Amino acid sequence: MVKICCIGAGYVGGPTMAVIALKCPSIEVAVVDISITRINAWNSDQLPIYEPGLEDVVKQCRGKNLFFSTDVEKHVSEADIIFVSVNTPTKTRGLGAGKAADLTYWESAARMIADVSKSNKIVVEKSTVPVKTAEAIEKILTHNSKGINFQILSNPEFLAEGTAIQDLLKPDRVLIGGRETPDGQKAIQALKDVYAHWVPEDRILATNLWSAELSKLAANAFLAQRISSVNAMSALCEATGADVTQVSHAVGKDSRIGPKFLNASVGFGGSCFQKDILNLVYICECNGLPEVANYWKQVIKVNDYQKNRFVNRVVSSMFNTVSGKKIAVLGFAFKKDTGDTRETPAIDVCKGLLGDKARLSIYDPQVNEFKTLDYQRIYDNMRKPAFVFDGRNIVNAEKLREIGFIVYSIGKPLDPWLEDMPAVA
Ligand code: NAI
């Protein structure tokens, strides 16, 4: 029986391993973490993260071939394949602070693997890491290896929070990077064999290590770039009377462009996009490519601009001050169907409003119910003029206007009220 161990029981490690366990009954999967509370939660009825369908998968496999444990060393030493799915946040201090990935957790995981291993292992980078990280990991492992053979693979995860289980069950592709040596190719094949239990062969891509590592950063940068592109357009739509929904629909109909990721919003959030682009920017700078670095930096700048623009719109519409005004914030997670609030744009919007001394009440139901609220009742209970600022273009603005609301929808033609109160950048 093949044994898999995954270090890091987070948003990636938990769901990914649960699906591997579900699809590969002949493989024993142990997910380990240094956080006792997280592991206890994985072993309880109240899982530590919310993902549609996750609870079902965990319940089917837990205790059979899926185990959650804090006994990191035991499971690592017994495993044939070790996934490392620890967090890789942006460095906050020292060299590369504010941009480079902090690999502290990765390094300590690698040193522990080297310490406790007694047999050959395949070590899989599941976390998103800077290109060339595998080289550093290889050095840590081989310099401390006591003659054990370690093969490093890069197998970045492309799941999106909110649809993680569906993404894992039916991935667009599985990417596996490895050394171009016979041992490297053998390791790639071993991991392919795991995924081949449910992923069609033509969707499993094998590349060299550096391509796999860089592809993950590139994919996130491209996705975020589309959001910043449509958000930049939304500002121009508001200035000209064009409607961003109509523009993005027309643009997305071009089969070379496609319709996905073209919704204007208050900005992208989540734990990955900003961190991975900053990381990409840093790598470009380190490789003497300032023009490329600046190109990608602009994606983040437009995102910050969009969040600021939203806050300014709220404040300027309400007579240039929200001091003492009560504002209800509907939704706080960075998107629907997730409980994750890491780097959510709502944080910056709330900070901006608090900076102007607003009084905030925040509500997040985890799933999307804001389309069907009783807006008439809400309107009746509000001080007038009553405003709705829709950062996701979710509400039916026309209906709300009929009730009497002044409505701001991102990138849409402005209400006369908003036109009279221009937001100062
Ligand atoms: P997370 O913070 O939810 O989980 C990481 C876990 O690793 C934590 O529970 C932490 O306690 C544990 N950990 C840290 N050091 C450890 C050690 N030495 N031994 C054992 N456990 C340790 O992070 P998340 O969101 O799962 O992300 C993990 C990686 O996957 C990151 O590199 C991220 O960029 C990448 N990723 C995240 C996606 C997402 O949607 N969240 C999607 C694709 C990739």
Side-chain angles (χ1 to χ4, degrees), residues 84-302:
V84 184
S85 182
V86 300
N87 34 334
T88 51
T90 306
K91 264 183 100 169
T92 51
R93 325 170 50 157
L95 189 66
K99 282 188 222 159
D102 182 349
L103 295 177
T104 316
Y105 303 104
W106 239 106
E107 185 176 336
S108 78
R111 288 187 185 282
M112 183 270 299
I113 295 171
D115 274 355
V116 306
S117 292
K118 295 183 196 75
S119 55
N120 296 346
K121 311 270 182 221
I122 296 172
V123 178
V124 185
E125 291 175 346
K126 198 49 149 167
S127 311
T128 305
V129 290
V131 56
K132 291 280 180 180
T133 298
E135 200 164 64
I137 303 300
E138 238 168 28
K139 282 190 180 131
I140 292 173
L141 291 172
T142 48
H143 279 270
N144 298 280
S145 77
K146 301 160 277 181
I148 291 165
N149 183 284
F150 290 104
Q151 280 303 315
I152 322 291
L153 297 178
S154 164
N155 172 221
E157 185 48 60
F158 293 101
L159 69 79
E161 284 178 30
T163 52
I165 297 299
Q166 276 315 308
D167 294 344
L168 288 163
L169 290 173
K170 285 194 166 79
D172 288 339
R173 78 302 210 187
V174 166
L175 181 57
I176 305 175
R179 285 283 185 197
E180 286 151 317
T181 58
D183 280 349
Q185 295 303 304
K186 242 171 83 184
I188 290 179
Q189 191 55 49
L191 190 53
K192 265 187 173 176
D193 290 344
V194 172
Y195 284 107
H197 281 84
W198 79 100
V199 181
E201 206 183 328
D202 61 345
R203 293 200 172 198
I204 306 178
L205 314 180
T207 66
N208 77 28
L209 271 171
W210 323 130
S211 303
E213 287 178 336
L214 187 54
S215 296
K216 174 63 193 178
L217 296 180
N220 272 357
F222 276 48
L223 289 169
Q225 180 215 40
R226 279 175 76 98
I227 298 176
S228 279
S229 296
V230 75
N231 282 344
M233 267 324 149
S234 75
L236 187 56
C237 286
E238 287 168 32
T240 57
D243 179 330
V244 75
T245 312
Q246 294 174 351
V247 172
S248 59
H249 181 69
V251 170
K253 277 286 177 194
D254 187 323
S255 59
R256 293 167 302 177
I257 297 172
K260 292 191 178 158
F261 264 67
L262 285 183
N263 287 330
S265 70
V266 67
F268 60 75
S271 64
C272 291
F273 281 178
Q274 171 150 324
K275 151 178 98 66
D276 293 348
I277 296 176
L278 287 171
N279 186 355
L280 186 66
V281 166
Y282 183 70
I283 294 167
C284 293
E285 285 170 353
C286 292
N287 281 284
L289 302 168
E291 288 82 1
V292 186
N294 285 335
Y295 175 78
W296 290 111
K297 218 185 273 177
Q298 197 60 26
V299 172
I300 292 178
K301 282 193 183 163
V302 168

Side-chain angles (χ1 to χ4, degrees), residues 4-5 12 42 114 166 170 200 220 371 374 389 400 414 425:
I4 287 180
C5 173
V12 168
W42 279 111
Q166 276 315 308
K170 285 194 166 79
N220 272 357
K371 285 182 185 172
D374 183 350
F389 299 92
L400 264 58
L414 295 174

Side-chain angles (χ1 to χ4, degrees), residues 238-239 309-320 385-391 393 397-398 401 404-424:
E238 287 168 32
R309 215 164 69 73
F310 189 79
V311 171
N312 290 346
R313 184 66 81 185
V314 176
V315 177
S316 65
S317 312
M318 297 171 81
F319 312 103
N320 243 0
F387 299 87
V388 170
F389 299 92
D390 186 358
N393 289 344
E398 278 322 305
R401 286 190 186 110
F405 281 105
I406 295 162
V407 185
Y408 168 64
S409 307
I410 285 186
K412 305 260 190 172
L414 295 174
D415 281 10
W417 178 287
L418 301 171
E419 258 178 315
D420 289 346
M421 305 242 177
V424 187

Side-chain angles (χ1 to χ4, degrees), residues 314-333:
V314 176
V315 177
S316 65
S317 312
M318 297 171 81
F319 312 103
N320 243 0
T321 177
V322 287
S323 177
K325 293 177 184 166
K326 184 158 180 184
I327 299 179
V329 179
L330 301 182
F332 196 76

